[in-house]
Amino acid sequence: MLLVSLLILVLAGAVTWGVVALGGPSPPISIGVIYNTSGGLKWLDDPGLNGVLLAAEQINDEGGVLGRQIEVVAGDGTTDVVKMTDVAAQLTARDDIVALAGINEPLHAVAPVRATIKRADGGFLTFSHSETALAVGEVAQAAGVPFVTAGSTRGSLPEVVGDEAFMVAAPHEDGATAIARYAWDDLGGREAWVLVDERSDYAKGLAAAFEEAWTGLGGGLTGDGYTPGAVIQIPDQIERLESQTTTPDVIFIASMPNDGGYLLDQLREAGVDQPVLFADVVDPRYIEAMGGDMRDVHMATHGSIEDPDDDMQAFVDAYSEEHGTAPESATAMLGYDTMRLIAEAIERAGSTSHEAVTGSLAETSDFAALTGTLTYPDGHTPSKPITIVAYEGGEPEVVAEITIR
């Protein structure tokens, strides 16, 4: 029988590490993992870490990697970029750390949390894209340690960071493109109206990707912008929508995810009944929780517990048994996939050297991830399907999978 113990060690620099150590005759293969298990992003990152740990436990039950057990060395980023980079530096300085993993988007934090996260130089984050993944990735790149980000969706991140960086989540631009194709092919839309958060570079990036895909298909396009404040109200935008001569077939909301439900409710309360589209959703239930009217809502996401696939349902059952609840969001699946991906790359490499693991990761093709078969056509940014979830009869249902790259 395998003995699983959770040890909490307080090391120099007041960094708290969670070590999942599994006994075995050979020294374990140590994987460094950074998630924000305290602070404002705890709700987003806890499921990711749970997914990593579940994958490691299953891998060890299956015999481990290269005949050795996986050891997860987890550091808490505390929802602070300075702390995250410090944790990354301490992990990558260790000789036993084979790879670094974790990091979800900070983009989904509520506004007060976003305002508290700062860069190491003291400047506020702009939240244009994946700042935490960039910061941690730069540390890993300098140390020559492979870094696999579970939840960053900035498609250019590997190019910016360097050849040690790999993504597991599909770029958010792919999600916007996928929902445009779905709306065109499956919903029969030909005219679209786009509502975009004008303060968010992330939201503007989603809108730009959707608009490019939509016009490329031959669709007509109108739109409007809003500026979020303490309370988000869009009566003027709705009035302009209702007064325009072209009636849209579909509505695409490009916003911070925590704003989506409020915007959706205002549209529905005003009698706007067209299908509403979202992209890059962490979990459809989050939009549902933020707004009550989910009639005819369609969204691109990274994975869904509604997926009837046998592997997905086995994961849901195992996670539920371990934690007493179904996976809270797609971050749990992405964390699980990240650990599985690293383990497979080490096995294929036949080595735990940083260079060998980096090269093996870059050669990944047709990796059977929970969130869709993953290939690195360029060595670092994934080609994988986008999951489309629709609320058509009041309950979420996986209705399509669309691969962009």
Side-chain angles (χ1 to χ4, degrees), residues 4-148:
V4 182
S5 61
L6 180 63
L7 307 176
I8 304 299
L9 307 176
V10 181
L11 304 181
V15 176
T16 300
W17 306 102
V19 181
V20 176
L22 295 101
S26 302
I29 296 174
S30 299
I31 308 297
V33 176
I34 304 175
Y35 279 111
N36 297 293
T37 53
S38 65
L41 291 178
K42 174 180 172 64
W43 71 273
L44 183 69
D45 280 9
D46 273 353
L49 179 57
N50 289 340
V52 165
L53 295 175
L54 177 59
E57 181 179 352
Q58 291 181 353
I59 290 166
N60 288 332
D61 287 345
E62 295 160 6
V65 178
L66 302 180
R68 298 161 62 185
Q69 299 284 278
I70 292 288
E71 177 187 68
V72 175
V73 184
D76 179 11
T78 71
T79 313
D80 182 277
V81 174
V82 176
K83 181 71 168 181
M84 286 181 223
T85 54
D86 182 46
V87 171
Q90 293 191 49
L91 282 170
T92 55
R94 291 175 48 157
D95 292 336
D96 62 332
I97 296 297
V98 175
L100 193 60
I103 304 294
N104 285 311
E105 292 280 11
L107 298 168
H108 308 298
V110 295
V113 173
R114 296 202 302 269
T116 65
I117 303 179
K118 299 180 180 181
R119 287 192 186 280
D121 63 7
F124 284 102
L125 289 175
T126 61
F127 281 87
S128 60
H129 287 297
S130 313
E131 281 82 359
T132 56
L134 285 171
V136 171
E138 287 170 358
V139 173
Q141 181 71 31
V145 176
F147 167 55
V148 185

Side-chain angles (χ1 to χ4, degrees), residues 141 227 254 405:
Q141 181 71 31
T227 301
R405 293 174 187 266

Side-chain angles (χ1 to χ4, degrees), residues 158-396:
E159 179 182 350
V160 174
V161 171
D163 58 4
E164 300 292 353
F166 300 86
M167 296 170 59
V168 172
H172 56 260
E173 298 92 343
D174 288 6
T177 301
I179 200 67
R181 291 186 185 176
Y182 168 79
W184 183 272
D185 293 335
D186 293 69
L187 301 181
R190 293 298 179 267
E191 297 289 336
W193 186 75
V194 177
L195 179 65
V196 59
D197 178 347
E198 294 184 331
R199 280 190 180 175
S200 167
D201 287 345
Y202 164 73
K204 288 189 285 189
L206 284 176
F210 178 88
E211 291 167 2
E212 180 179 359
W214 193 257
T215 55
L217 290 167
L221 193 68
T222 55
D224 210 332
Y226 71 95
T227 301
V231 179
I232 300 174
Q233 297 291 337
I234 54 168
D236 294 341
Q237 290 83 350
I238 292 174
E239 182 179 353
R240 288 192 289 269
L241 166 63
E242 293 176 332
S243 65
Q244 67 181 33
T245 56
T246 301
T247 301
D249 302 310
V250 295
I251 302 226
F252 178 64
I253 295 179
S255 69
M256 299 297 287
N258 50 290
D259 297 340
Y262 302 115
L263 297 165
L264 171 63
D265 266 1
Q266 291 178 63
L267 290 166
R268 293 300 191 228
E269 288 169 4
V272 178
D273 291 327
Q274 289 96 327
V276 173
L277 316 173
F278 293 95
D280 195 38
V281 178
V282 171
D283 190 88
R285 293 167 298 177
Y286 187 56
I287 300 293
E288 183 179 0
M290 293 295 108
D293 195 337
M294 298 296 289
R295 290 176 293 115
D296 214 358
V297 175
H298 310 257
M299 54 194 75
T301 181
H302 298 281
S304 171
I305 62 172
E306 314 299 335
D307 189 338
D309 178 79
D310 290 344
D311 288 341
M312 178 64 79
Q313 291 310 307
F315 166 76
V316 172
D317 290 344
Y319 189 100
S320 301
E321 182 178 354
E322 186 85 14
H323 301 287
T325 181
E328 297 86 348
S329 70
T331 60
M333 306 163 203
L334 292 168
Y336 183 91
D337 285 345
T338 297
M339 178 53 68
R340 284 279 183 181
L341 174 68
I342 292 171
E344 183 186 270
I346 295 170
E347 190 73 49
R348 281 190 284 108
S351 169
T352 58
S353 78
H354 295 150
E355 183 178 0
V357 175
T358 296
S360 183
L361 281 167
E363 294 172 356
T364 297
S365 180
D366 296 327
F367 170 69
L370 281 176
T371 52
T373 301
L374 182 154
T375 296
Y376 289 128
D378 65 353
H380 301 272
T381 301
S383 168
K384 61 186 298 192
I386 303 294
T387 299
I388 307 296
V389 173
Y391 283 75
E392 293 174 328
E395 296 294 328

